[in-house]
Amino acid sequence: MNKKVFKYLSMSTLTILLLSSYSFAQQTFKINPKESKLNISGTSSIHDWEITAKNFSGEVTISFNDNSIIGINNVEFSCPVEDIECDNRIMDNKTQKALNSDKYPEIQFHSNSTVNGDFSKNDSEIKGTVTINNTKKEVDINFTYEKVNSTQVKVKGEVPLKMSDFNVEPPTAMMGALKTADEIKVIYEILFEK
């Protein structure tokens, strides 16, 4: 092989490698809690109710091809039970007691799968494990997402759960006159930032 052909092949290979590393990238994004919302809603024998997670953290690894998302994995989420509040001290205490916050102070989610494929519709599903009250349950989480800009991605969705699946006794109040239903819904809008 002559020197010109070798030099040309070497330069071509180097160019392809550089372009590949530029085009395909994995980046870690962390939750911006000030720009994110997470509410838990349910029903009771008297009225509907809602509580809010005031503080939580987490991160996700997102794979890009140029400017397009091609994969989502390594989703981690954590929320202190004591930071779930409804601005009613009695109900806050009942919630924390039902979740055994003194023994199990955090609610956690960890993804068990990687989401790959067509992200052009901006909605998808990821499988993972939710841990509440030291009880783990596999869940499928549907979400929509929006790439806000080069450093921010917003995801939102709803996750139906049952308290009994996590060995949580639905709280009661007013000497048992108010009974909360077993079914709850976690509604979230999370902003991830680089």
Side-chain angles (χ1 to χ4, degrees), residues 8-192:
Y8 174 77
L9 287 174
S10 297
M11 291 301 290
S12 297
T13 303
L14 182 61
T15 303
I16 289 169
L17 288 173
L18 287 172
L19 287 174
S20 296
S21 65
Y22 177 77
S23 297
F24 298 96
Q26 278 194 338
Q27 299 172 1
T28 300
F29 289 72
K30 294 187 182 293
I31 290 176
N32 177 335
K34 291 182 179 175
E35 299 296 326
S36 301
K37 297 185 285 189
L38 190 143
N39 296 321
I40 302 152
S41 66
T43 61
S44 75
S45 54
I46 296 179
H47 56 74
D48 293 348
W49 55 269
E50 184 173 88
I51 56 178
T52 301
K54 304 285 188 182
N55 183 36
F56 45 89
S57 61
E59 63 182 38
V60 62
T61 302
I62 301 176
S63 301
F64 292 91
N65 179 7
D66 290 327
N67 217 16
S68 301
I69 294 174
I70 58 170
I72 297 172
N73 64 356
N74 298 328
V75 180
E76 299 284 345
F77 172 86
S78 178
C79 175
V81 173
E82 291 189 353
D83 288 337
I84 299 173
E85 302 174 353
C86 67
D87 298 325
N88 178 317
R89 200 164 51 115
I90 293 169
M91 291 308 293
D92 292 345
N93 289 338
K94 287 185 177 291
T95 301
Q96 291 169 19
K97 184 177 178 183
L99 294 171
N100 288 307
S101 64
D102 55 336
K103 292 182 186 174
Y104 313 115
E106 283 192 334
I107 294 171
Q108 298 177 332
F109 173 80
H110 170 74
S111 63
N112 300 334
S113 64
T114 300
V115 181
N116 292 311
D118 181 13
F119 283 87
S120 60
K121 296 177 184 174
N122 290 1
D123 66 276
S124 198
E125 177 183 282
I126 194 160
K127 297 178 186 298
T129 303
V130 173
T131 305
I132 300 173
N133 191 32
N134 201 37
T135 305
K136 298 178 186 294
K137 179 169 174 58
E138 301 292 315
V139 295
D140 296 335
I141 296 182
N142 294 304
F143 64 93
T144 60
Y145 75 92
E146 168 194 0
K147 185 173 180 191
V148 179
N149 55 46
S150 62
T151 63
Q152 296 180 321
V153 175
K154 184 181 285 186
V155 297
K156 49 178 141 172
E158 297 181 2
V159 185
L161 298 172
K162 287 186 178 180
M163 289 189 245
S164 58
D165 287 340
F166 299 94
N167 296 313
V168 173
E169 185 77 30
T172 62
M174 300 185 306
M175 296 183 291
L178 185 149
K179 297 179 181 177
T180 56
D182 190 22
E183 296 80 10
I184 60 171
K185 190 183 291 183
V186 179
I187 303 153
Y188 62 92
E189 184 173 311
I190 307 289
L191 183 68
F192 287 98

